Amino acid sequence: MLKIHREPFIQEIREDWILDKGLQLFIKREDVIHPQVSGNKWRKLKYNLLEARNQGKSTLLTFGGAYSNHIYATAAAAAAAGYQSIGIIRGEELADKPLNQTLRFAVETCGMRLHFVTREAYRKKNEADYINKLTEKFGSFYLIPEGGTNALAIKGAQEIVDEKTKEFDVLALSVGTGGTVSGVISAAATTQHVIGFSALKGDFLIDEVKQLLEDNCKGRFTNWEIETNYHFGGYAKHTEVLVDFIKNFEDKHHIPIEPIYTGKMLFGLFDKIKQDHFPPRTKVLAIHTGGLQGKKIRD
Ligand SMILES: *Cc1c(COP(=O)(O)O)cnc(C)c1O
C-alpha cells in the first residue's frame, strides 16, 4: 500500500495584477504528497499497486524514457510498497553509458531492473506479442503502461478533486498522456471548467482525452478543454522565456516548479489571465502535479 507522506493543501498565489483583475488564483500542492512518488504519479499508481496485489503479482513492469518521472515514481512506489520492478527504457544505446540521475535512483536506490530497447522495439509496447516476449524473459508481472495511464490511474486521479477543490470555478493542470486530466474532468462538479495545458506539441491530446473519458468514465463531459499553445517547442523542450518565468515564480512564491509540466501550465495560465480570458470573480485553482525530480537534471 502506498502511503501519503503529506496531505496535499491549497495555497493562494497572490499577485497584485491578478487581484486587480478581480480574480483569485490558488494552487493545489499535489507535489507534496510523497517525496519520490510525486504528485499525479502517486495518484495514478495507488490503485494499480492494489490491483497488482489482488492479482498476486509481486513484480511491476513499465515503460519510459531515460528521464521519465513515471519510471522514477514507479521504481520508488514499488520499493516503498514491497514490489520488484522492471523498467523497459527507450534507447538501446543508453545501455553502455553511465546512468543519468533518474535511472541511477531507480536502480541504486529502488532496485529497479532496467532493460534498454531500441526505438523500434519500444514502439511495440502495447502489442500482445511483445508483452508475451517480455513475460518469457522476465516471468510474470503486473503491467503498467507508459506514462502510467489506464482505468485505475484515472480512478486514482479522480481523488485529486476533493470537496475543497470543488469550491473553484476553474481547474488548470498539465497534460502528458491525458490520464490525470481525465480523472479530474470526470470528478469535477458540472459547474467547474477544467483546462488541461498540453506539455506536448500538436493537438492529438484532445482526441486522446475524449477517448479516455469515453472508455473509462460514465457520463458525457463538456466541462473541459485542452490548451495546446504552451508547449514551448514540444515535450521536454523549453525557451529562455519559460526559464525566466519559472525563476520569477519561484522567487516570488517559494514554490518549486519544473519546466516540463507545471512550469508550462502556469505560464499558460498567467498568459490567459493577462489576456482577460476569465471574467472577474473567477476563482482559479492550478494543480501542481509534482515531477520535481526532472528539474535537477535539466537546468
Ligand atoms: C507525468 C506528469 C504529468 C502528465 O500526466 P498525464 O496523466 O500523463 O497527463 C503532469 N505533470 C507531471 C509533473 C508529471 O510528472
Short mmCIF file of all heavy atoms in Angstrom, two decimals, residues 38-41 44 68-70 73 146-149 153 157 173-182 197 199-200 205 209 212 235 258 260-262 287-293, ligand 1:
data_model
loop_
_atom_site.label_atom_id
_atom_site.label_comp_id
_atom_site.label_asym_id
_atom_site.label_seq_id
_atom_site.Cartn_x
_atom_site.Cartn_y
_atom_site.Cartn_z
N SER A 38 5.88 11.47 -6.74
CA SER A 38 5.34 12.81 -6.54
C SER A 38 4.08 13.06 -7.34
O SER A 38 3.89 12.57 -8.45
CB SER A 38 6.42 13.85 -6.85
OG SER A 38 6.16 14.46 -8.07
N GLY A 39 3.18 13.82 -6.74
CA GLY A 39 2.04 14.40 -7.43
C GLY A 39 1.13 13.38 -8.09
O GLY A 39 0.67 12.43 -7.49
N ASN A 40 0.90 13.62 -9.38
CA ASN A 40 -0.09 12.78 -10.07
C ASN A 40 0.39 11.35 -10.22
O ASN A 40 -0.43 10.45 -10.39
CB ASN A 40 -0.46 13.41 -11.42
CG ASN A 40 0.70 13.41 -12.40
OD1 ASN A 40 1.86 13.43 -12.01
ND2 ASN A 40 0.37 13.39 -13.68
N LYS A 41 1.69 11.11 -10.16
CA LYS A 41 2.17 9.74 -10.30
C LYS A 41 1.73 8.89 -9.10
O LYS A 41 1.40 7.72 -9.24
CB LYS A 41 3.69 9.70 -10.47
CG LYS A 41 4.19 10.45 -11.69
CD LYS A 41 3.62 9.88 -13.00
CE LYS A 41 4.20 10.54 -14.22
NZ LYS A 41 3.63 11.85 -14.54
N LYS A 44 -1.85 8.03 -9.73
CA LYS A 44 -2.03 7.07 -10.81
C LYS A 44 -1.58 5.66 -10.43
O LYS A 44 -2.07 4.68 -10.96
CB LYS A 44 -1.26 7.54 -12.06
CG LYS A 44 -1.86 8.82 -12.65
CD LYS A 44 -1.01 9.40 -13.76
CE LYS A 44 -1.23 8.68 -15.07
NZ LYS A 44 -0.55 9.39 -16.19
N SER A 68 12.21 9.85 -17.45
CA SER A 68 10.79 9.76 -17.15
C SER A 68 10.45 9.89 -15.65
O SER A 68 10.97 9.15 -14.82
CB SER A 68 10.29 8.41 -17.67
OG SER A 68 9.07 8.07 -17.10
N ASN A 69 9.55 10.82 -15.35
CA ASN A 69 9.02 10.90 -13.98
C ASN A 69 8.30 9.62 -13.61
O ASN A 69 8.28 9.21 -12.45
CB ASN A 69 8.01 12.05 -13.86
CG ASN A 69 8.67 13.42 -13.93
OD1 ASN A 69 9.87 13.54 -13.73
ND2 ASN A 69 7.87 14.44 -14.21
N HIS A 70 7.67 9.02 -14.60
CA HIS A 70 6.89 7.80 -14.35
C HIS A 70 7.80 6.63 -13.95
O HIS A 70 7.48 5.85 -13.05
CB HIS A 70 6.06 7.46 -15.59
CG HIS A 70 5.45 6.11 -15.55
ND1 HIS A 70 4.45 5.78 -14.63
CD2 HIS A 70 5.70 4.99 -16.26
CE1 HIS A 70 4.12 4.50 -14.82
NE2 HIS A 70 4.85 4.01 -15.78
N ALA A 73 8.97 7.38 -10.40
CA ALA A 73 7.91 7.20 -9.41
C ALA A 73 7.55 5.72 -9.25
O ALA A 73 7.32 5.25 -8.13
CB ALA A 73 6.68 8.00 -9.83
N GLU A 146 3.11 2.82 -20.44
CA GLU A 146 3.96 4.02 -20.48
C GLU A 146 3.17 5.21 -19.93
O GLU A 146 2.01 5.41 -20.26
CB GLU A 146 4.37 4.32 -21.91
CG GLU A 146 5.27 5.53 -22.03
CD GLU A 146 5.49 5.94 -23.49
OE1 GLU A 146 4.53 5.90 -24.27
OE2 GLU A 146 6.63 6.30 -23.81
N GLY A 147 3.81 5.99 -19.08
CA GLY A 147 3.13 7.16 -18.52
C GLY A 147 2.12 6.80 -17.43
O GLY A 147 1.61 7.67 -16.76
N GLY A 148 1.86 5.49 -17.28
CA GLY A 148 1.02 5.05 -16.16
C GLY A 148 -0.47 5.19 -16.36
O GLY A 148 -1.24 4.95 -15.44
N THR A 149 -0.90 5.57 -17.57
CA THR A 149 -2.33 5.83 -17.76
C THR A 149 -3.10 4.57 -18.11
O THR A 149 -2.81 3.89 -19.09
CB THR A 149 -2.53 6.90 -18.86
OG1 THR A 149 -2.10 8.16 -18.33
CG2 THR A 149 -4.00 7.02 -19.26
N ALA A 153 -5.55 4.24 -13.06
CA ALA A 153 -4.85 5.52 -12.89
C ALA A 153 -5.86 6.66 -12.90
O ALA A 153 -5.76 7.61 -12.09
CB ALA A 153 -3.82 5.70 -14.00
N ALA A 157 -6.68 9.41 -10.07
CA ALA A 157 -6.59 10.86 -10.35
C ALA A 157 -7.89 11.57 -9.98
O ALA A 157 -7.88 12.76 -9.68
CB ALA A 157 -6.25 11.09 -11.82
N LEU A 173 -4.44 22.20 -15.12
CA LEU A 173 -3.34 21.27 -14.85
C LEU A 173 -2.64 20.91 -16.15
O LEU A 173 -3.17 21.13 -17.24
CB LEU A 173 -3.82 20.02 -14.13
CG LEU A 173 -4.70 19.02 -14.88
CD1 LEU A 173 -4.59 17.65 -14.23
CD2 LEU A 173 -6.15 19.45 -14.90
N SER A 174 -1.45 20.34 -16.00
CA SER A 174 -0.65 19.94 -17.14
C SER A 174 -1.08 18.57 -17.67
O SER A 174 -1.56 17.73 -16.91
CB SER A 174 0.82 19.91 -16.72
OG SER A 174 1.60 19.49 -17.80
N VAL A 175 -0.89 18.36 -18.97
CA VAL A 175 -1.30 17.10 -19.60
C VAL A 175 -0.12 16.48 -20.36
O VAL A 175 0.55 17.15 -21.14
CB VAL A 175 -2.45 17.36 -20.60
CG1 VAL A 175 -2.89 16.07 -21.27
CG2 VAL A 175 -3.63 18.02 -19.90
N GLY A 176 0.11 15.18 -20.07
CA GLY A 176 1.14 14.44 -20.80
C GLY A 176 0.50 13.34 -21.64
O GLY A 176 0.44 13.43 -22.86
N THR A 177 -0.05 12.32 -20.97
CA THR A 177 -0.81 11.28 -21.69
C THR A 177 -2.31 11.53 -21.61
O THR A 177 -3.07 10.92 -22.34
CB THR A 177 -0.54 9.88 -21.10
OG1 THR A 177 -1.00 9.87 -19.74
CG2 THR A 177 0.92 9.52 -21.14
N GLY A 178 -2.73 12.35 -20.67
CA GLY A 178 -4.16 12.66 -20.53
C GLY A 178 -4.86 11.89 -19.42
O GLY A 178 -6.04 12.13 -19.14
N GLY A 179 -4.16 10.98 -18.77
CA GLY A 179 -4.79 10.19 -17.70
C GLY A 179 -5.23 11.05 -16.52
O GLY A 179 -6.37 10.92 -16.04
N THR A 180 -4.35 11.92 -16.08
CA THR A 180 -4.66 12.73 -14.91
C THR A 180 -5.81 13.68 -15.20
O THR A 180 -6.76 13.79 -14.40
CB THR A 180 -3.42 13.52 -14.47
OG1 THR A 180 -2.33 12.60 -14.31
CG2 THR A 180 -3.66 14.24 -13.15
N VAL A 181 -5.74 14.37 -16.33
CA VAL A 181 -6.80 15.33 -16.63
C VAL A 181 -8.14 14.61 -16.81
O VAL A 181 -9.19 15.15 -16.44
CB VAL A 181 -6.42 16.22 -17.84
CG1 VAL A 181 -6.61 15.52 -19.17
CG2 VAL A 181 -7.22 17.52 -17.82
N SER A 182 -8.13 13.41 -17.34
CA SER A 182 -9.38 12.65 -17.49
C SER A 182 -10.00 12.37 -16.13
O SER A 182 -11.22 12.46 -15.96
CB SER A 182 -9.14 11.33 -18.23
OG SER A 182 -8.69 11.58 -19.54
N PHE A 197 -3.38 21.87 -19.95
CA PHE A 197 -2.34 22.50 -20.77
C PHE A 197 -1.40 21.41 -21.29
O PHE A 197 -0.72 20.76 -20.50
CB PHE A 197 -1.55 23.53 -19.95
CG PHE A 197 -2.33 24.78 -19.65
CD1 PHE A 197 -3.22 24.82 -18.59
CD2 PHE A 197 -2.19 25.91 -20.44
CE1 PHE A 197 -3.96 25.97 -18.32
CE2 PHE A 197 -2.91 27.07 -20.18
CZ PHE A 197 -3.80 27.10 -19.12
N ALA A 199 1.67 19.51 -22.56
CA ALA A 199 3.12 19.64 -22.47
C ALA A 199 3.77 19.19 -23.77
O ALA A 199 4.99 19.26 -23.93
CB ALA A 199 3.64 18.82 -21.30
N LEU A 200 2.95 18.68 -24.69
CA LEU A 200 3.44 18.16 -25.97
C LEU A 200 2.93 19.02 -27.11
O LEU A 200 1.88 19.66 -26.99
CB LEU A 200 2.97 16.71 -26.17
CG LEU A 200 3.66 15.61 -25.37
CD1 LEU A 200 3.32 15.67 -23.90
CD2 LEU A 200 3.27 14.26 -25.92
N LEU A 205 -3.86 15.37 -28.31
CA LEU A 205 -4.31 15.05 -26.95
C LEU A 205 -5.80 15.33 -26.74
O LEU A 205 -6.42 14.74 -25.86
CB LEU A 205 -3.47 15.80 -25.92
CG LEU A 205 -2.16 15.11 -25.55
CD1 LEU A 205 -1.26 16.03 -24.73
CD2 LEU A 205 -2.42 13.81 -24.77
N VAL A 209 -7.91 12.46 -24.93
CA VAL A 209 -8.66 12.67 -23.69
C VAL A 209 -10.13 12.29 -23.91
O VAL A 209 -10.74 11.64 -23.06
CB VAL A 209 -8.51 14.12 -23.18
CG1 VAL A 209 -9.45 14.41 -22.02
CG2 VAL A 209 -7.06 14.37 -22.75
N LEU A 212 -10.21 8.58 -23.70
CA LEU A 212 -10.01 8.09 -22.34
C LEU A 212 -11.29 8.27 -21.52
O LEU A 212 -11.67 7.39 -20.73
CB LEU A 212 -8.85 8.83 -21.66
CG LEU A 212 -7.45 8.42 -22.10
CD1 LEU A 212 -6.41 9.41 -21.57
CD2 LEU A 212 -7.12 7.01 -21.62
N TYR A 235 7.66 18.35 -26.14
CA TYR A 235 7.89 17.69 -24.86
C TYR A 235 9.34 17.86 -24.40
O TYR A 235 10.28 17.60 -25.16
CB TYR A 235 7.54 16.20 -24.97
CG TYR A 235 7.76 15.48 -23.67
CD1 TYR A 235 6.94 15.73 -22.58
CD2 TYR A 235 8.81 14.58 -23.52
CE1 TYR A 235 7.15 15.10 -21.37
CE2 TYR A 235 9.02 13.94 -22.31
CZ TYR A 235 8.20 14.22 -21.25
OH TYR A 235 8.41 13.60 -20.05
N GLU A 258 8.81 22.85 -12.19
CA GLU A 258 9.78 22.37 -13.19
C GLU A 258 9.33 22.78 -14.59
O GLU A 258 8.18 23.14 -14.78
CB GLU A 258 9.99 20.85 -13.06
CG GLU A 258 8.74 20.02 -12.86
CD GLU A 258 7.81 20.03 -14.03
OE1 GLU A 258 8.28 19.71 -15.12
OE2 GLU A 258 6.63 20.37 -13.85
N ILE A 260 8.97 21.08 -17.43
CA ILE A 260 8.40 20.11 -18.37
C ILE A 260 6.87 20.11 -18.32
O ILE A 260 6.21 20.02 -19.35
CB ILE A 260 8.99 18.71 -18.11
CG1 ILE A 260 10.50 18.79 -18.31
CG2 ILE A 260 8.36 17.67 -19.03
CD1 ILE A 260 11.26 17.55 -17.97
N TYR A 261 6.33 20.23 -17.14
CA TYR A 261 4.87 20.18 -16.99
C TYR A 261 4.29 21.42 -16.30
O TYR A 261 3.68 22.27 -16.93
CB TYR A 261 4.46 18.92 -16.21
CG TYR A 261 4.75 17.62 -16.90
CD1 TYR A 261 5.79 16.80 -16.48
CD2 TYR A 261 3.97 17.20 -17.97
CE1 TYR A 261 6.05 15.59 -17.11
CE2 TYR A 261 4.21 15.99 -18.60
CZ TYR A 261 5.26 15.18 -18.17
OH TYR A 261 5.50 14.00 -18.79
N THR A 262 4.46 21.50 -14.99
CA THR A 262 3.77 22.55 -14.22
C THR A 262 4.24 23.95 -14.60
O THR A 262 3.44 24.89 -14.61
CB THR A 262 3.95 22.28 -12.71
OG1 THR A 262 3.39 20.98 -12.43
CG2 THR A 262 3.19 23.30 -11.87
N ILE A 287 -3.29 23.06 -10.45
CA ILE A 287 -2.89 21.83 -9.74
C ILE A 287 -1.42 21.56 -10.03
O ILE A 287 -1.02 21.38 -11.19
CB ILE A 287 -3.79 20.65 -10.16
CG1 ILE A 287 -5.25 20.96 -9.77
CG2 ILE A 287 -3.31 19.34 -9.50
CD1 ILE A 287 -6.26 20.01 -10.36
N HIS A 288 -0.62 21.56 -8.99
CA HIS A 288 0.82 21.26 -9.09
C HIS A 288 0.97 19.75 -9.08
O HIS A 288 0.77 19.10 -8.06
CB HIS A 288 1.55 21.88 -7.90
CG HIS A 288 3.05 21.89 -8.03
ND1 HIS A 288 3.76 20.87 -8.62
CD2 HIS A 288 3.98 22.80 -7.62
CE1 HIS A 288 5.04 21.15 -8.58
NE2 HIS A 288 5.21 22.32 -7.99
N THR A 289 1.29 19.20 -10.26
CA THR A 289 1.32 17.73 -10.37
C THR A 289 2.68 17.14 -9.99
O THR A 289 2.89 15.94 -10.16
CB THR A 289 0.93 17.31 -11.80
OG1 THR A 289 1.56 18.19 -12.74
CG2 THR A 289 -0.57 17.38 -12.00
N GLY A 290 3.60 17.96 -9.50
CA GLY A 290 4.86 17.41 -8.98
C GLY A 290 5.95 17.32 -10.03
O GLY A 290 6.17 18.25 -10.78
N GLY A 291 6.64 16.17 -10.07
CA GLY A 291 7.64 15.95 -11.12
C GLY A 291 8.95 16.68 -10.91
O GLY A 291 9.70 16.90 -11.85
N LEU A 292 9.25 17.04 -9.67
CA LEU A 292 10.43 17.87 -9.45
C LEU A 292 11.74 17.10 -9.60
O LEU A 292 12.81 17.71 -9.69
CB LEU A 292 10.33 18.55 -8.08
CG LEU A 292 9.16 19.55 -8.03
CD1 LEU A 292 8.79 19.88 -6.61
CD2 LEU A 292 9.47 20.81 -8.82
N GLN A 293 11.69 15.79 -9.69
CA GLN A 293 12.93 15.04 -9.93
C GLN A 293 13.55 15.44 -11.27
O GLN A 293 14.75 15.42 -11.43
CB GLN A 293 12.69 13.53 -9.86
CG GLN A 293 11.90 12.90 -11.00
CD GLN A 293 12.72 12.47 -12.22
OE1 GLN A 293 13.94 12.36 -12.15
NE2 GLN A 293 12.04 12.24 -13.33
C1 LIG B 1 3.50 12.67 -15.82
C2 LIG B 1 3.23 14.07 -15.43
C3 LIG B 1 2.14 14.80 -15.96
C4 LIG B 1 1.26 14.25 -17.03
O1 LIG B 1 0.28 13.38 -16.55
P1 LIG B 1 -0.63 12.56 -17.53
O2 LIG B 1 -1.55 11.80 -16.67
O3 LIG B 1 0.29 11.64 -18.31
O4 LIG B 1 -1.31 13.51 -18.44
C5 LIG B 1 1.92 16.07 -15.49
N1 LIG B 1 2.73 16.63 -14.56
C6 LIG B 1 3.78 15.97 -14.05
C7 LIG B 1 4.64 16.66 -13.07
C8 LIG B 1 4.06 14.67 -14.46
O5 LIG B 1 5.13 14.03 -13.95
#
